[in-house]
């Protein structure tokens, strides 16, 4: 969710006329040249953010801290992430999207390498904050880069395709992470979880240098375009005519009092609690309800993420087909709320609980892809950028509360799945708040 803050799939003036075949082919070619590489980059970005969830037990054992501290460390990522979104946008203005994205990837990979020297709780927490700092500008920079190439009415579909990286990172990263944890634990006297951070950071480092060579700064600099193609892309993507992205206008607190803004902040906060609470803890929950060893958790964890790919696609297509946003977000919220309560009640039935957790994650990621299709329909254009900045920043606090709250409840209630009820309550509030929005 926190990465969705500048996304809006709607555009003024209704649906545009279809492009001529030559134009459609050009946009398709541009998409195939750009999107797969960016999906790969975001997949490793998200994996570097959540791979801690697969290493919870050995990290807690080696650093001697509790579930509550683990949850705090997982959530502290968002302290740096929120605080440095604006400074990252300044780098974007100064150096352009290509170099900014590459520098961010190289930076977060180097910080991931530093987890190999962690031997205390404060070092662990400090590096989680720094990882958030490093990744803060990645998604906004990608969105700006996509706006250089594609017209506004295509950005919704293009961005939705890009967001497939989220469930892919969990589906592929789970088995890979667990394999590294089990096979390399103790190799060269290094714990498996430190090997995991190093090995999974290497692709991001390499991709950072690939971006510098492969990615163009925009249509105006793309050597593979002829002059007529370049003019066409520049005409259809107005952002390409300016080096300065339309960043959030940091000029007022008054937008917080505008209609719907407080309600959207609540919705965004609830979404972040659900998303990151579930993502950071689902390997632990699956291991508990199935009673399987840690070496098998990664394989079972990939199933909910694979189901999420199908659910996200179907929900987005249905929303576009019916031109309806509110129920396509409120529905998944309410599904998460009800299904998590059922999971808490039936956690002793392993396969049933796994299916319920699968439905939870799928519905949660449906909310993630829909969350910012709504603000552009409700908010005033003159305050939209500032409103989105506030909605994103304050809503992202849920990324801290969700993981930490689950860990705190596990420690202080003695009930391993008590945190499910916290997420269920937030999902219920999010669903009700969404239904309070106008159609």
């Amino acid at each position: 969710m926190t990465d969705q803050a500048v996304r809006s799939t709607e555009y003024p003036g209704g649906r545009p006329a279809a492009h001529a075949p030559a134009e459609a082919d050009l946009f398709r070619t541009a998409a195939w040249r750009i999107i797969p590489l960016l999906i790969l980059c975001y997949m490793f970005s998200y994996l570097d953010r959540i791979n801690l969830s697969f290493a919870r037990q050995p990290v807690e054992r080696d650093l001697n801290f509790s579930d509550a501290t683990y949850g705090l460390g997982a959530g502290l990522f968002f302290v740096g992430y929120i605080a440095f979104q604006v400074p990252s946008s300044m780098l974007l203005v100064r150096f352009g999207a290509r170099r900014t994205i590459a520098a961010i990837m190289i930076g977060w990979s180097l910080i991931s390498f530093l987890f190999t020297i962690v031997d205390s709780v404060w070092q662990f927490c400090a590096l989680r904050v720094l990882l958030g700092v490093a990744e803060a500008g990645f998604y906004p920079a990608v969105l700006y880069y996509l706006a250089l190439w594609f017209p506004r009415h295509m950005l919704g579909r293009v961005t939705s395709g890009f967001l497939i990286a989220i469930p892919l990172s969990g589906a592929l990263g789970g088995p890979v992470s667990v394999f590294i944890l089990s096979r390399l634990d103790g190799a060269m006297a290094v714990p498996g979880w430190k090997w995991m951070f190093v090995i999974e950071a290497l692709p991001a480092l390499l991709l950072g240098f690939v971006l510098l060579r492969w990615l163009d700064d925009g249509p105006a600099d793309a050597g593979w375009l002829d002059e007529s193609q370049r003019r066409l892309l520049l005409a259809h993507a107005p952002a390409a005519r300016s080096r300065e992205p339309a960043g959030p206008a940091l000029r007022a607190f008054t937008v917080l009092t505008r209609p719907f803004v407080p309600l959207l902040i609540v919705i965004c906060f609830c979404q972040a609690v659900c998303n990151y609470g579930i993502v950071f803890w689902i390997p632990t929950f699956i291991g508990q309800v199935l009673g399987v060893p840690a070496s098998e958790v990664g394989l079972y964890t990939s199933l909910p993420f694979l189901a999420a790919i199908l659910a996200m696609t179907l929900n987005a297509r249905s929303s576009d087909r019916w031109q309806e946003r509110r129920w396509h977000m409120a529905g998944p919220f309410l599904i998460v709320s009800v299904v998590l309560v059922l999971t808490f009640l039936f956690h002793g039935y392993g396969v049933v609980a796994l299916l319920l957790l699968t439905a939870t994650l799928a519905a949660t990621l449906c909310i993630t892809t829909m969350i910012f299709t709504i603000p552009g329909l409700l908010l005033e254009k003159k305050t939209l950028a500032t409103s989105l900045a506030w909605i994103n920043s304050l809503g992202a606090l849920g990324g801290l509360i969700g993981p930490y709250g689950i860990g705190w409840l596990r420690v202080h209630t003695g009930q391993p799945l008590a945190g499910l009820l916290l997420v269920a309550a937030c999902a219920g509030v999010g669903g009700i708040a969404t239904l309070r929005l106008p159609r």
Side-chain angles (χ1 to χ4, degrees), residues 26 225-234:
L26 178 58
L225 295 173
D226 61 36
E227 190 57 35
S228 62
Q229 293 173 325
R230 188 174 291 109
R231 285 198 303 268
L232 180 62
L233 286 172
L234 290 171

Side-chain angles (χ1 to χ4, degrees), residues 105-116:
M105 294 192 66
I106 294 169
W108 91 56
S109 64
L110 295 177
I111 291 173
S112 292
F113 291 149
L114 293 178
F115 277 93
T116 59

Side-chain angles (χ1 to χ4, degrees), residues 3 37-51 77 81 88 97-116 126-142 162 165 169 196-209 211:
D3 289 333
L37 179 58
L38 293 179
I39 288 176
L40 194 61
C41 292
Y42 192 47
M43 187 176 75
F44 283 106
S45 165
Y46 203 79
L47 180 59
D48 282 350
R49 185 184 307 181
I50 69 168
N51 57 5
F77 170 91
Y81 187 87
S88 295
R98 178 179 65 93
R99 277 174 284 189
T100 300
I101 294 171
I104 287 171
M105 294 192 66
I106 294 169
W108 91 56
S109 64
L110 295 177
I111 291 173
S112 292
F113 291 149
L114 293 178
F115 277 93
T116 59
L127 283 180
R128 287 296 296 177
V129 174
L130 287 177
L131 192 64
V133 170
E135 291 194 36
F138 180 81
Y139 190 78
V142 168
F162 168 69
S169 69
M196 181 193 72
F197 282 119
V198 170
I199 292 173
E200 293 181 357
L202 280 173
L205 179 65
L206 297 176
L207 284 168
F209 291 105
L211 286 174

Side-chain angles (χ1 to χ4, degrees), residues 166-379:
I166 295 177
L168 279 177
S169 69
L172 300 177
V176 170
S177 297
V178 171
F179 177 84
I180 295 171
L181 287 167
S182 59
R183 295 302 179 92
L184 294 182
D185 189 32
M188 299 175 64
V190 176
W193 60 271
K194 293 188 176 183
W195 281 114
M196 181 193 72
F197 282 119
V198 170
I199 292 173
E200 293 181 357
L202 280 173
L205 179 65
L206 297 176
L207 284 168
F209 291 105
V210 170
L211 286 174
L212 286 173
R213 288 188 57 85
W214 177 259
L215 219 57
D216 303 294
D217 281 319
D221 305 299
W224 55 276
L225 295 173
D226 61 36
E227 190 57 35
S228 62
Q229 293 173 325
R230 188 174 291 109
R231 285 198 303 268
L232 180 62
L233 286 172
L234 290 171
H236 282 292
R241 295 195 291 267
S242 173
R243 289 289 183 187
E244 183 174 351
L250 306 175
R251 57 187 175 84
F253 291 88
T254 56
V255 295
L256 293 172
T257 64
R258 304 300 296 172
F260 309 121
V261 171
L263 193 58
L264 288 168
I265 290 173
V266 171
I267 294 170
C268 208
F269 176 87
C270 292
Q271 186 276 336
V273 171
C274 296
N275 188 8
Y276 292 104
I278 295 299
V279 166
F280 276 114
W281 283 97
I282 196 167
T284 297
F285 292 150
I286 288 177
Q288 288 175 343
V289 299
L290 293 181
V292 296
S295 59
E296 298 180 18
V297 168
L299 178 62
Y300 286 105
T301 301
S302 67
L303 299 178
F305 283 100
L306 290 173
I309 295 175
L310 178 62
M312 289 165 59
T313 302
L314 294 177
N315 192 62
R317 288 185 178 181
S318 175
S319 178
D320 285 344
R321 178 183 179 185
W322 296 103
Q323 289 295 292
E324 200 283 329
R325 307 298 186 201
R326 192 177 61 151
W327 273 106
H328 283 82
M329 190 165 71
F333 259 130
L334 298 176
I335 289 173
V336 171
S337 182
V338 172
V339 171
L340 281 180
V341 173
L342 293 176
T343 305
F344 181 80
L345 295 175
F346 295 101
H347 65 272
Y349 300 86
V351 175
V352 173
L354 175 63
L355 293 175
L356 291 172
L357 287 171
T358 298
T360 297
L361 182 65
T364 296
L365 293 183
C366 284
I367 304 167
T368 298
T369 56
M370 294 296 298
I371 189 74
F372 272 93
T373 62
I374 291 180
L377 304 176
L378 300 178
L379 304 179

